[in-house]
């Protein structure tokens, strides 16, 4: 029997993370509960970030972190696809966030997002604290880290940041990045189309994406300020995906989730092509093949395998033959 693509196509390499393309932020208990309900209804096609930074009322950080633990361990959290954004390095409560959340919910946390990254050494200190806290609690898994690139310092050190242990995602923080330019970037550049056209923002986004992808890290795009116009939201997500190479995008309003996931998903034609090529390659035990007059080998197989994995994680229908060959655990679970 031919080998599974994971056994053949990435020998000796760090596998690229295949994670949902939409990350939805929720800060209050009520909004987190509604987000979890929607996540269950949609079949787990987006992540949820429980927000301890902007979501926590000043002076009630501990109570907010304890609420996040309850929601992480709630029966509503059926998919274990919820992360947590803690406070930044300069905030006095960031270690308490970790001390409260990691021992009590570390087995279920999908990731920890760290905001306002300025220096790689500070982020490295936070990552080490998270790892040590998890180890002391008997948690053996490595909790993925998402780092927010929203300052001049973070952009300057983004290549070093992308190499730090457990970093899974680099998030671009548009609003703080614009504000950090002291009016040199006009406020209208926080909205489309200017957020994609202003030279300083194009440079920053391209540099962050390049650093992320070169180091096996997922680049995530900032929010769109449009909350309800689904076509506008879709176009923002599509530009982020096709022009800049972002593979994930933030949502701050439930109506944003569907157009973001739709814009980021592989197209029907891409999925059909990937299925046809990979089934031929599988039958040839991953040797070179021809498909519609073009030569394909392991270099292109990697591309199409990641396309299929992204399609699968976003519940894009795949053929029965592909499911049996490449996703046998999912088939067994259904049976």
């Amino acid at each position: 029997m031919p080998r599974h693509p994971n056994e053949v196509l990435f020998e000796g390499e760090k596998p690229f993370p295949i994670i949902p393309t939409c990350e939805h932020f929720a800060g209050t208990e009520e909004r987190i509960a509604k987000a979890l309900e929607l996540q269950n209804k949609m079949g787990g096609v987006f992540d949820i970030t429980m927000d301890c930074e902007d979501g926590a009322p000043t002076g009630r950080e501990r109570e907010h972190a304890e609420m996040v633990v309850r929601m992480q361990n709630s029966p509503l959290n059926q998919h274990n696809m919820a992360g947590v954004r803690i406070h930044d390095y300069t905030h006095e409560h960031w270690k308490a966030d970790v001390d409260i959340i990691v021992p009590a919910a570390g087995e279920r946390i999908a990731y920890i997002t760290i905001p306002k990254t300025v220096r790689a050494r500070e982020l490295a200190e936070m990552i080490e604290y998270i790892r040590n806290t998890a180890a002391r609690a008997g948690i053996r898994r490595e909790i993925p880290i998402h780092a927010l690139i929203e300052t001049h310092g973070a952009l300057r050190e983004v290549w070093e940041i992308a190499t730090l242990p457990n970093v899974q995602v680099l998030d671009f923080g548009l609003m703080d990045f614009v504000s950090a330019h002291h009016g040199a970037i006009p406020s209208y550049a926080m909205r489309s189309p200017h957020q994609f056209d202003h030279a300083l923002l194009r440079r920053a986004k391209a540099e962050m994406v390049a650093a992320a992808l070169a180091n096996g890290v997922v680049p995530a795009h900032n929010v769109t300020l449009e909350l309800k116009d689904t076509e506008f939201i879709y176009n923002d997500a599509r530009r982020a995906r096709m022009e800049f190479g972002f593979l994930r995008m933030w949502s701050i309003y439930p109506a944003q989730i569907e157009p973001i996931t739709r814009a980021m998903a592989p197209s029907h034609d891409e999925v059909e092509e990937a299925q046809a090529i990979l089934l031929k390659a599988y039958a040839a035990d991953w040797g070179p093949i021809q498909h519609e007059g073009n030569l394909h080998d392991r270099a292109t197989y990697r591309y199409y395998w990641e396309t299929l994995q992204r399609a699968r994680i976003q519940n894009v229908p795949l053929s029965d033959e592909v499911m049996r060959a490449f996703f046998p655990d999912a088939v067994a679970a259904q049976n």
Side-chain angles (χ1 to χ4, degrees):
M1 175 180 289
R3 292 165 293 171
H4 192 273
N6 284 341
E7 299 172 354
V8 178
L9 302 182
F10 301 95
E11 293 174 303
E13 298 180 25
K14 171 188 171 183
F16 191 81
I18 305 297
I19 59 176
T21 57
C22 181
E23 175 180 346
H24 180 67
F25 271 71
T28 67
E29 186 167 1
E30 179 184 6
R31 289 178 180 173
I32 291 170
K34 288 182 178 179
L36 287 168
E37 290 170 356
L38 183 59
Q39 186 186 65
N40 295 334
K41 181 179 179 180
M42 294 180 68
V45 297
F46 67 94
D47 283 332
I48 297 166
T49 300
M50 302 182 186
D51 192 6
C52 284
E53 187 197 22
D54 294 340
T58 302
R60 299 189 60 195
E61 290 88 355
R62 173 170 291 277
E63 292 90 339
H64 195 85
E66 290 170 347
M67 178 274 291
V68 163
V69 168
R70 288 199 308 276
M71 299 309 291
Q72 283 284 346
N73 294 322
S74 164
L76 281 174
N77 187 11
Q78 296 177 11
H79 297 278
N80 290 331
M81 292 170 59
V84 178
R85 178 163 71 171
I86 62 173
H87 288 87
D88 71 272
Y89 183 82
T90 65
H91 196 284
E92 62 182 6
H93 206 270
W94 79 261
K95 287 185 178 179
D97 286 343
V98 175
D99 294 341
I100 294 167
I101 294 167
V102 169
E107 295 289 1
R108 302 189 69 176
I109 295 170
Y111 49 87
I112 292 177
T113 296
I114 297 175
K116 295 180 175 61
T117 301
V118 176
R119 296 179 177 87
R121 63 174 176 79
E122 294 173 353
L123 180 62
E125 180 183 332
M126 296 182 78
I127 293 171
E128 188 64 17
Y129 190 86
I130 291 167
R131 297 176 83 180
N132 289 339
T133 303
R136 287 194 299 270
I139 297 167
R140 295 187 177 183
R141 65 182 286 253
E142 295 282 1
I143 300 173
I145 301 297
H146 295 189
L148 256 163
I149 306 300
E150 53 187 339
T151 66
H152 297 290
L155 185 63
R156 184 174 60 248
E157 299 188 18
V158 68
W159 287 82
E160 185 179 354
I161 288 168
T163 67
L164 292 177
N166 299 350
V167 172
Q168 182 189 63
V169 170
L170 294 183
D171 299 297
F172 187 70
L174 175 67
M175 311 308 168
D176 281 283
F177 193 79
V178 170
S179 296
H181 281 74
H182 309 291
I185 302 176
S187 63
Y188 59 71
M190 294 184 186
R191 297 183 61 87
S192 296
H194 304 289
Q195 67 154 317
F196 296 111
D197 296 336
H198 193 284
L200 287 173
L201 296 179
R202 290 182 66 87
R203 165 187 168 267
K205 291 183 180 187
E207 186 70 11
M208 195 206 79
V209 170
L213 296 175
N215 289 283
V217 172
V218 175
H221 194 259
N222 52 269
V223 299
T224 176
L225 295 181
E226 173 56 49
L227 299 182
K228 297 182 179 181
D229 185 335
T230 57
E231 190 64 22
F232 191 100
I233 297 163
Y234 173 88
N235 287 334
D236 269 7
R238 199 63 182 163
R239 287 197 71 179
R241 174 70 182 86
M242 301 308 294
E243 294 182 31
F244 291 86
F246 285 96
L247 299 174
R248 183 174 167 99
M249 182 167 166
W250 284 16
S251 158
I252 54 172
Y253 193 73
Q256 294 181 337
I257 294 170
E258 188 279 331
I260 290 172
T261 56
R262 179 161 44 91
M264 291 278 178
S267 70
H268 173 78
D269 290 344
E270 288 175 314
V271 172
E272 289 297 302
E273 182 179 39
Q275 291 189 115
I277 289 170
L278 287 183
L279 286 173
K280 284 185 179 179
Y282 186 64
D285 198 16
W286 307 106
I289 63 161
Q290 287 191 38
H291 178 71
E292 296 184 351
N294 295 310
L295 178 67
H296 293 277
D297 58 18
R298 293 191 186 193
T300 54
Y301 299 159
R302 293 188 186 102
Y303 175 91
Y304 291 113
W305 174 230
E306 289 183 348
T307 297
L308 282 194
Q309 291 179 91
R310 290 192 182 97
R312 171 64 188 159
I313 204 168
Q314 293 181 249
N315 288 343
V316 175
L318 302 177
S319 72
D320 291 343
E321 189 176 3
V322 162
M323 291 297 296
R324 288 193 300 269
F326 304 136
F327 303 99
D329 291 345
V331 173
Q334 290 175 354
N335 296 331

